[in-house]
Amino acid sequence: MYEEYFVKLREECLIRNRTEGTLATYTFSIHKFMEWTGYKEPESFTLEDARNYIYELRVVQNKSTQYCNGVNSALKFFYRFVLHKSWDQDAVPRMMNDVILPRVTELENVEKMIDAAAEIRNKAIIALLYSSGLRVSELCRLAPTDIYKSTMQVHIRAGKNHCDHWTLLSQRALDLLTEYWRSYPAKRDYLFVGLKSPHNPLRPSGVEIMVRKIGTEVGIDHAHPHMLRHSFASHMVEQGVSLEHIQAMMGHRDSDSTHRYIHVSNKALMGIKSPLDHPVKKKRGRKKKNEQ
């Protein structure tokens, strides 16, 4: 029934060079919106429909501001470029995002997760996510040729926002990658593949499930690939690495995305003291005449 609209949606995303991930997000959000409207004719969608839907997501369903703004972006794109309807930002405003600090973990916990992984492939994945600060989508798209042993770097091609960038390759991760490669030397286009499907890359959702499962086994209730990425950045800050270098390795376009790691790093390791802990210099007063 709505197939023609989603064909048009794909076409409009492709002509604007939007990523497959963006297309998938837009498609999901618009499907949910159509379901909420009772599957009425899309040509009859109004701005009030969009406003009421986003209001319900936030107030009734208690969705995060980031989630609601993502839906806002999807509907705005759909209204403007698929339905060719005007969009009024005042009628359907974006929300001020709540600033939630990233969750991180200690190196000791990362080591526990690597040790707990039964398959060498999963050990290598956890090590690479943490030691290189990769997004899970970037890890799943890695090709064997993206690992540069000579310079100890990882090349990220077409990362988020279509940005290529380079990041670190740790010796520990390289050793695990080498062991994984030798255990499964099948010729393939992607570095990490299913053991029964060497021509297909791992799905990000599969990696997320694996990381959560192993995290739970070692007592980390918030384990997630992004937790490993956040931990990498936070620990880099603690080591005194410049924010410019961290921004480059993380593939951030906006420096604000990198600066937040200052707030989650261990300030004690950075040598910062509270002003209350600095000694107060007492002023020397003049002696009274009767004391002279």
Side-chain angles (χ1 to χ4, degrees):
M1 179 179 179
Y2 297 114
E3 184 179 352
E4 62 181 291
Y5 293 100
F6 290 104
V7 169
K8 181 65 173 174
L9 176 65
R10 169 174 281 277
E11 178 185 315
E12 293 299 325
C13 282
L14 288 175
I15 202 168
R16 289 170 176 79
N17 198 27
R18 300 295 173 90
T19 65
E20 284 292 329
T22 297
L23 172 60
T25 300
Y26 284 1
T27 301
F28 174 82
S29 296
I30 294 161
H31 266 302
K32 298 297 287 186
F33 174 63
M34 288 177 169
E35 181 183 351
W36 177 84
T37 65
Y39 295 106
K40 73 177 186 178
E41 176 58 41
E43 299 300 333
S44 66
F45 289 167
T46 65
L47 289 176
E48 187 176 3
D49 288 331
R51 179 188 176 94
N52 290 341
Y53 176 59
I54 294 174
Y55 180 85
E56 181 175 310
L57 289 176
R58 181 61 178 156
V59 177
V60 179
Q61 299 184 29
N62 198 30
K63 297 292 186 180
S64 69
T65 56
Q66 287 86 348
Y67 182 91
C68 293
N69 283 337
V71 173
N72 186 302
S73 296
L75 293 180
K76 177 181 177 181
F77 190 93
F78 188 69
Y79 271 58
R80 290 183 61 198
F81 303 120
V82 177
L83 300 179
H84 302 292
K85 291 176 177 285
S86 61
W87 183 266
D88 187 346
Q89 193 86 352
D90 292 330
V92 193
R94 293 181 67 81
M95 298 178 188
M96 180 180 291
N97 275 327
D98 296 326
V99 179
I100 301 173
L101 293 179
R103 302 188 74 171
V104 300
T105 194
E106 298 80 15
L107 174 58
E108 179 184 0
N109 286 334
V110 179
E111 294 282 5
K112 287 180 180 178
M113 291 179 65
I114 294 172
D115 292 341
E119 296 180 11
I120 185 59
R121 180 194 63 182
N122 294 343
K123 290 178 182 289
I125 286 174
I126 294 169
L128 200 57
L129 284 170
Y130 168 72
S131 65
S132 299
L134 299 178
R135 299 179 178 93
V136 64
S137 59
E138 294 169 347
L139 176 127
C140 290
R141 289 196 303 268
L142 281 178
T145 52
D146 292 328
I147 305 298
Y148 285 73
K149 295 170 61 175
S150 58
T151 58
M152 296 301 289
Q153 290 178 299
V154 181
H155 189 196
I156 312 302
R157 303 175 190 274
K160 188 176 181 181
N161 300 317
H162 305 281
C163 289
D164 280 18
H165 63 278
W166 294 84
T167 187
L168 299 174
L169 173 64
S170 80
Q171 185 60 55
R172 176 81 187 282
L174 177 59
D175 292 342
L176 291 170
L177 281 171
T178 302
E179 187 177 349
Y180 159 63
W181 189 262
R182 290 173 178 169
S183 70
Y184 190 59
K187 186 177 180 180
R188 54 194 187 270
D189 296 328
Y190 298 97
L191 182 59
F192 294 108
V193 294
L195 300 181
K196 296 182 180 179
S197 53
H199 301 295
N200 297 320
L202 289 181
R203 293 180 179 273
S205 58
V207 176
E208 291 171 4
I209 292 170
M210 179 271 291
V211 170
R212 285 198 188 99
K213 180 176 181 295
I214 293 176
T216 301
E217 290 175 2
V218 299
I220 306 172
D221 60 0
H222 58 280
H224 188 276
H226 243 55
M227 177 205 72
L228 297 171
R229 172 176 162 84
H230 293 323
S231 299
F232 163 83
S234 178
H235 297 166
M236 287 286 100
V237 171
E238 292 171 0
Q239 292 177 27
V241 178
S242 72
L243 291 178
E244 290 79 7
H245 283 101
I246 297 173
Q247 180 179 348
M249 290 186 289
M250 297 285 284
H252 287 155
R253 275 190 172 180
D254 187 351
S255 60
D256 287 346
S257 298
T258 313
H259 278 88
R260 62 180 175 162
Y261 293 108
I262 295 175
H263 301 287
V264 296
S265 60
N266 189 328
K267 300 299 188 294
L269 295 181
M270 297 171 66
I272 297 176
K273 288 185 177 182
S274 166
L276 187 61
D277 293 332
H278 286 275
V280 178
K281 293 182 180 180
K282 295 183 179 180
K283 294 183 179 179
R284 296 179 63 183
R286 293 182 180 181
K287 293 183 179 180
K288 297 179 180 180
K289 290 185 178 180
N290 59 5
E291 292 178 348
Q292 295 179 350

